[in-house]
């Protein structure tokens, strides 16, 4: 819950334009050849992620249903943006559970402090789903980014990165295999 909305309003972040998240069990399996924050700033991006993965339907129980209600209340079409069309199936307007994984991400703080984003967070928070159903911040960010950001404001960083069962060495290291913690490849 905290990483879904209140983190962006923390006084400790007040003087910053960007914030980067790196989970404690994330790692860089090879040299990071470029600075993703500089690339994000140079490109005018608002949200930067490293990879997409699906969530388990049970981990986001009722999240999409309530997000649809919010969209109806705000006049937002559930497939009205290019990003939403990537995540929402045309045939039944259901979410495909794909997420921007935010175990490593960079955000432009002013956008995540904005009224639309914080309103969506407060709406979700009022429903109790963070406590009752374990809604995660990655789902909130994915749908919020999809509702309001044009695709050119979202940047997929190409860096070598590993986290739990996910690992890639990036385009900068096409001949490397990803080392895993404990010596596994």
């Amino acid at each position: 819950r905290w990483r879904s909305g209140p983190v962006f309003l923390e006084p400790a972040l007040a003087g910053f334009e960007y914030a980067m998240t790196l989970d404690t069990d994330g790692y860089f399996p090879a040299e990071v050849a470029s600075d993703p924050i500089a690339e994000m700033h140079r490109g005018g991006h608002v949200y930067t992620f490293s990879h997409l993965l699906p969530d388990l339907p049970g981990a986001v129980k009722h999240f999409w249903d309530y997000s649809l209600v919010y969209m109806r209340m705000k006049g937002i079409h559930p497939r009205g943006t290019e990003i939403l069309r990537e995540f929402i199936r045309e045939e039944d307007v259901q979410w495909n559970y794909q997420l921007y994984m935010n175990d490593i991400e960079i955000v432009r703080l002013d956008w995540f402090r904005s009224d639309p984003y914080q309103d969506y967070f407060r709406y979700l928070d009022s429903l109790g789903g963070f406590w009752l159903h374990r809604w995660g911040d990655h789902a909130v960010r994915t749908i919020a980014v999809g509702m309001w950001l044009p695709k050119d404001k979202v940047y997929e960083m190409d860096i070598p990165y590993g986290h739990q069962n996910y690992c890639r060495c990036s385009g900068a290291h096409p001949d490397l295999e990803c080392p895993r913690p404990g010596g596994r490849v």
Side-chain angles (χ1 to χ4, degrees), residues 8-67:
F8 306 116
L9 306 175
E10 284 293 324
L13 295 176
F16 293 96
E17 187 175 356
Y18 299 98
M20 181 174 183
T21 299
L22 177 63
D23 277 11
T24 57
D25 58 345
Y27 63 98
F28 300 107
E31 180 181 340
V32 177
S34 62
D35 180 345
I37 296 173
E39 291 179 26
M40 181 180 183
H41 183 74
R42 194 170 30 257
H45 303 294
V46 172
Y47 185 71
T48 299
F49 69 101
S50 79
H51 60 290
L52 295 167
L53 288 174
D55 207 346
L56 299 172
V60 286
K61 186 176 182 182
H62 304 301
F63 175 79
W64 178 243
D65 298 325
Y66 286 122
S67 290

Side-chain angles (χ1 to χ4, degrees), residues 70-77:
Y70 180 85
M71 289 178 190
R72 283 186 203 111
M73 291 185 327
K74 300 295 180 176
I76 299 168
H77 190 284

Side-chain angles (χ1 to χ4, degrees), residues 10-183:
E10 284 293 324
L13 295 176
F16 293 96
E17 187 175 356
Y18 299 98
M20 181 174 183
T21 299
L22 177 63
D23 277 11
T24 57
D25 58 345
Y27 63 98
F28 300 107
E31 180 181 340
V32 177
S34 62
D35 180 345
I37 296 173
E39 291 179 26
M40 181 180 183
H41 183 74
R42 194 170 30 257
H45 303 294
V46 172
Y47 185 71
T48 299
F49 69 101
S50 79
H51 60 290
L52 295 167
L53 288 174
D55 207 346
L56 299 172
V60 286
K61 186 176 182 182
H62 304 301
F63 175 79
W64 178 243
D65 298 325
Y66 286 122
S67 290
L68 278 173
V69 170
Y70 180 85
M71 289 178 190
R72 283 186 203 111
M73 291 185 327
K74 300 295 180 176
I76 299 168
H77 190 284
R79 288 183 39 84
T81 68
E82 185 179 354
I83 293 173
L84 284 175
R85 286 188 293 277
E86 291 176 8
F87 293 111
I88 311 307
R89 295 188 304 255
E90 183 176 9
E91 63 273 11
D92 59 2
V93 192
Q94 290 298 304
W95 178 31
N96 64 14
Y97 299 107
Q98 287 292 310
L99 299 164
Y100 294 123
M101 297 306 293
N102 62 353
D103 40 273
I104 182 171
E105 70 177 351
I106 307 166
V107 300
R108 197 173 81 205
L109 290 165
D110 62 346
W111 191 83
F112 286 90
R113 292 174 181 141
S114 71
D115 287 338
Y117 182 87
Q118 289 293 321
D119 182 66
Y120 179 53
F121 165 74
R122 286 188 300 270
Y123 163 78
L124 293 170
D125 195 31
S126 75
L127 301 168
F130 295 104
W131 307 107
L132 298 171
H133 305 298
R134 187 195 100 35
W135 293 346
D137 51 322
H138 53 325
V140 176
R141 282 214 241 317
T142 299
I143 300 303
V145 163
M147 284 192 287
W148 292 300
L149 284 180
K151 191 165 178 118
D152 67 348
K153 295 294 181 187
V154 178
Y155 176 63
E156 183 176 2
M157 57 183 136
D158 182 25
I159 63 169
Y161 177 69
H163 179 257
Q164 297 175 358
N165 291 326
Y166 174 84
C167 188
R168 76 169 182 191
C169 284
S170 86
H173 306 283
D175 299 328
L176 292 181
E177 289 187 38
C178 241
R180 306 277 181 158

